[in-house]
Amino acid sequence: MSASGDLASRIADALTNASTDVGVAPDVDALRRVANAHTGKGSVLVGLKSSLGSITDVEARKAAGRAINEALQTLEALVAERLTGLEVAAASAAAAGEAMDLTEHLARRSRGHAHIVTQAWERLEDVFVGMGFKVAEGPEVETDFHNFTALNMPPNHPARSGFDTLFVKYGSPGSTLLRTHTSPVQIRVMQEWDLPIYAVMPGRVFRRDTPDATHMPVFHQIEGLVIDKGITFAHLAGTIEAFTKAFFGSEFSSRLRPNYFPFTEPSAEFDVRSSSGKWIELGGCGMVHPNVLKAGGVDPEVYTGFAFGFGIDRMAKERHNVADLRDMYANDLRFMRQF
Amino acid sequence: MRILRSWLAEYCDLKRLNDDQLGDVMTALGMQVESAEVIGTPVAGVVVARVLRTERHPDAAKVHRVWVDAGDGVEHHVWCGAFNMKPGDLVPLATLGTAMPDGREILRRGILGIDSEGMLCSAAELGLSSDAAGIMIMPEGSSLGRNVFDALGVKRDVVYDLDITRNRPDATGHLGVARDVAAKLGVKFLPPKGDANKKGPARRVPVDIVAKEACARFNVTVMSGITVGPSPDHLSRRVLAAGMRPINNVVDASNLVMLECNQPNHAYDAEKVASGFRIRLATVGETLTTLDGVVRTLDTKDLLICDGDDRAIGIAGVMGGATTEISDTTTEIALETAWFEPNGVRLTSQRLALRTEASARFERGVDALGVDYSIARFASLLRESCPKLVVHSGATDARTRHLPKPANVSLRVARVNQVLGTSLHAREISSLLTRIGFVCTPKKILAKKSSNVPSGPGFSVKVPSWRPDCVDEVDLVEEVARHVGYETLGKRVSQSTQPGGLSPLQQRRRALRDVVLSLGASEAMPSPFLAPGDHERAGVVLESAALELENPLVVEESLLRTSLRPGLLKAIAFNVSHRANGIALYELGHVYRAQTVSGGRSPAGNEVAHDLPDETERLCIMAVGVDASAAVGWWSEITAVFGVGAQVDQSRVPAGYHPTRSATLARGKQVVGYVGEIDRTVLARYGVDERVACLEVDASILLGETPKASIAKPVSRFPSSDFDVAFSVPANVTAATLHRALRQAVGTLGEEVTLFDVFRKAPTDQTRSLAYRVRLRASDRTLTDAEVSTARTAAISAGEKLGCSLRGT
């Protein structure tokens, strides 16, 4: 048996023993110990390496050194592989130990629900803002002047009786009221803003009305007002049409038909029609009456304008298919949480 | 207004239009069709029959037996639930197998084992009118067995129910509607001729108009040779179809004139008003029994028609009295045709809650010059049943200077086009207006100073007397628009020349809603009306009186709220009673106080506008089952978003809040809101026994101020050093005080001081342990142990100075 043949078999034996030990190391710490035992100072392979000096043949010595190094590298690779395996196993064991049922979800405070009138209100504002309108506001307790007289309904005007006005005990009798429509804001805007005016005026309005499925004494309207040089009836019709398509959808169209309001002339009712072909009455509109422009301090010989208005509550009612307006004002969380 | 197609067709050619098209034309003219009902469609199998005899059956209380002769030589027996016929009357018999307009089939349905061989019909059952009061009694002369519709000469007709706007008094008469339709169709308008040949000797009834403004015209024309009886069928059917009840030939003629010419009028028994008429205002407390048998108490603003002895015989323009009615034996009538001031009629009719066909017309304004024509029409219509009718000459036609004269209005062609966006020529405009009775005289109109409407062609337009609503140029512009057709005016989008958008306040209002929703509160909208006592019940103390309503519908809605709390508490209580979970509600709405706000703007040159009461926007959030700390948490979340703070002053307990778990939110001297829990005694009144956390705040504090943009500070690149410190804190030291002291003690190195634990040995202990984590950091260096230790010592001695003792060391 030659010295080199003997060395080769000792290397092979050492590698075999080491491989076996690595393979059975149960955990990372044991693996470290095994690795140290087979590749560290006192290990067989390192011992063989230090005995290489006794080989006199240079070539044989080099070959033996290469063989020992290869064995050590093989062993390191085995250790690394085993280490990865053990770590993966340890991680998945740890994960299994902290398994969770993600459907065990405790009820926590959830986001509140905006009133459907507010939702409709904001959607309407957004459409008009996109069309270049600003949003104006005014007081709910109003003067008779702003609510009626300035809107071409002087005291004793027959149209006043149609409004079922609630008067407030303040100032001289009949001078102060809860606004019956958002139109008084038109007057305030004309008086306070610079021309031209492109404004919508959403707000709460009041009528002396017994609540039923389609009427509430307190409800909401949105009013539009445009005053500029060169505004014509065609602009009114075009704006209503643009709004109709933007708010309801491009398959909707609009039409105007003659009606009467004291504050506009010519006056119109506007209807919208869906692709189903059914016309729905939506609101009133018209060219601002010259007397109204004058009351707002605008010269009707220089400026013309149009106005339109409709109910916000009804938009919400139709959109959500609410049968009875009173449901919208019952403040019942079972109702509110649907929207 | 019920308008009959057949009636319109007498005044203009409608052959081109089917029923829907005619409806569309009227709607497009502003006379909106609310409904259209087809009447007079012949029903096959309904024949004329004569009542032979009737008999009650002892076991049937609600029906009786009727035997009729239908001309076929056999007696037919029917059961009938109406009792208005007598032997000899002609009635409609629906024979067996007839399909009735309502879908029923007439079957041999017996009662008490006795068969019924058909059914006697009311006018309503045959679709001839709305009269369902009894079996229809047909005029003599119809041959037995003939189809009832043939026998009556009934033709198919359509009744349109039109919504007539206030500015169209003319359209409450068939003539006015026909004039408009004819003009739109471009066909001839053919009003009927009136015949008032005054043959008889002069008969003058004296008329004294005392109230000259309220009554500007009062015509009394005497007619004789009258036999009171039923109207000819075609007239009574027309009265019925138009929605009124036929009474007799005189009253029917009167009603037909009103439905045709829009001129209400009244026929008196001439004998009963021989003393003449006096038209004056009522005296206080004067009473009158009107035709409907009701005793009316009058006021000094009500206009009365009195006889020559000054006894009230009618309320002018509203309803006549019972004493001067014509009777079956009347042979001479005095016909009143008048013009009453519209507003007066309206106010009287409103005050008496008595709205009649006449008052509805007078209050819109009838044709001041239409009196003669309507008298002539009355005579023509009555002459159909009274061939010997004599219209006496010498009628009294009293007028006062208050009778409106037809207006003359200047109309500029350029103004029409400026408003409508059209390019109509003068000729087109005058042609449109002339067809509906306006008389246009061309003239050149010079531009007004500083007007955008240039000088140019125009008209002096004489307004017809039946259109009292047209007083301004723009009224004529509307007439042009109506007749040229709204749909032809085009659709152009107005191009806003300015950027649109929400104001900063409106943007912040949306942000506020978003924050509140994210806190879990849903939006309630309680009524802003309260009952007396509602504020007190909610624990709200009124600093100044709540605004009262002058005319509330019910006393429960007679006050305007000064606080959002009463409404939200009610909503909370409602949801608690329905056992809702996680109740959290908010409202963002207005409250009102009787006190005046200064700075209310007065519109230029108008003294009518005035200051308004104080109206502010407030936010209130309430949640059930959580304590005051939740409400403070909401407030800190809101202040963090809006960058607006307020002092939480627990020394001032707000009214209606928990005495030891609430605070006033103050900014300097200004109270801006309240936070905490609702007082338990208040909650008890609402039946709520859980805790209710509440935050209410003046929204203008949050929305009204534009927050300054924060200026960026560089973030330190050096590590922080933390230490914890816990104190045992006596009741008289608030966490906020201790927090402030700690911050001060650690000085500029202190980056954060955070309260992270509160501990009480027993829940009722007032002394508690508060633990803080202090994070120190410098912007330019890593802190040394010595610096940290100095800061810690300073923090501890600051706490101890307040009377707190260090724990845990």
Side-chain angles (χ1 to χ4, degrees), chain B residues 1 25 36 53 93 180 294 335 401 414 425 501 509 555 583 629 683 747 766 779:
Chain B
M1 176 72 197
V25 166
R53 62 183 189 282
L93 170 71
D180 231 21
V294 179
L335 180 69
R401 64 187 174 84
H425 293 294
R509 184 187 287 130
V555 71
I583 300 168
S629 67
L683 292 175
Q766 291 301 301
S779 62

Side-chain angles (χ1 to χ4, degrees), chain B residues 315-336:
Chain B
I315 303 171
V318 181
M319 193 178 266
T323 55
T324 52
E325 258 186 295
I326 59 158
S327 66
D328 291 350
T329 56
T330 299
T331 57
E332 290 186 10
I333 60 161
L335 180 69
E336 165 210 314

Side-chain angles (χ1 to χ4, degrees), chain A residues 109-115 117-118 121-123 125-126 129 131-146 149 156-159 161 165-170 173-176 178 188 191-192 196-199 204 206 208-211 217-218 220 226 228-229 231-239 241-242 254-260 264-268 281 287 289-291 295 299-304 306 329-334 336-337, chain B residues 27-30 32 34 165-167 343 346-347 350 412 415 417-421 448 450-453 472-478 481-482 486-487 489-503 505-506 509-510 513-514 517-529 547-553 557 560-561 571 574-575 578 580-587 590 592 594-597 601 603-604 606 608-613 615 634:
Chain A
R109 184 185 72 194
S110 56
R111 194 178 159 84
H113 300 259
H115 198 282
V117 165
T118 302
W121 173 317
E122 293 186 348
R123 270 200 315 278
E125 280 181 344
D126 291 345
V129 162
M131 291 165 69
F133 285 67
K134 287 184 161 65
V135 180
E137 299 171 19
E140 294 171 0
V141 177
E142 256 297 4
T143 67
D144 174 271
F145 173 81
H146 287 91
T149 306
N156 260 332
H157 192 282
S161 58
T165 310
L166 282 164
F167 287 94
V168 173
K169 284 188 187 166
Y170 180 83
S175 67
T176 313
L178 284 164
R188 293 185 179 274
Q191 287 170 344
E192 290 165 27
I197 291 165
Y198 289 79
R204 174 171 274 200
F206 307 80
R208 193 169 183 275
D209 227 343
T210 310
V218 181
H220 305 82
V226 167
D228 206 342
K229 288 177 182 164
I231 292 292
T232 71
F233 194 90
H235 291 122
L236 164 61
T239 303
E241 178 80 0
S254 65
R255 74 171 177 196
L256 306 187
R257 53 192 167 75
N259 204 328
Y260 168 75
T264 50
E265 185 144 21
S267 296
E281 266 184 53
M287 300 300 288
H289 197 287
N291 292 348
D299 184 350
E301 288 288 322
V302 178
Y303 286 91
T304 46
F306 63 78
Y329 291 98
N331 301 315
D332 187 334
L333 277 164
R334 294 169 299 176
M336 296 154 82
R337 282 172 174 157
Chain B
T27 293
L29 283 167
Q32 196 200 337
E34 304 257 276
T165 52
R166 189 167 278 287
N167 62 330
N343 230 4
R346 180 173 63 86
L347 294 174
Q350 246 172 34
R412 295 165 293 177
R415 178 65 167 171
N417 290 326
Q418 182 199 33
V419 174
L420 301 183
K448 290 181 198 166
S450 82
S451 170
N452 268 18
V453 185
D472 289 329
E473 185 180 40
V474 73
D475 297 320
L476 303 182
V477 173
E478 181 172 73
R482 271 197 324 119
Y486 278 16
E487 70 286 355
L489 297 175
K491 287 177 180 174
R492 257 179 285 167
V493 179
S494 52
Q495 213 55 58
S496 173
T497 48
Q498 57 178 8
L502 298 178
S503 69
L505 182 143
Q506 289 156 353
R509 184 187 287 130
R510 286 204 182 183
R513 286 187 189 286
D514 196 57
L517 290 172
S518 75
L519 295 172
S522 291
E523 186 182 13
M525 281 197 190
S527 169
F529 303 134
L547 276 171
E548 276 178 73
L549 295 185
E550 195 81 54
N551 56 337
L553 205 56
E557 300 177 351
L560 286 176
R561 63 185 178 189
F574 174 86
N575 284 292
H578 286 77
N581 291 317
I583 300 168
L585 297 174
Y586 86 91
E587 184 182 10
H590 290 206
Y592 324 81
Q595 140 192 356
T596 302
V597 279
R601 281 178 204 79
N606 201 304
V608 193
H610 50 80
D611 285 347
L612 285 169
E615 179 177 335
W634 303 333

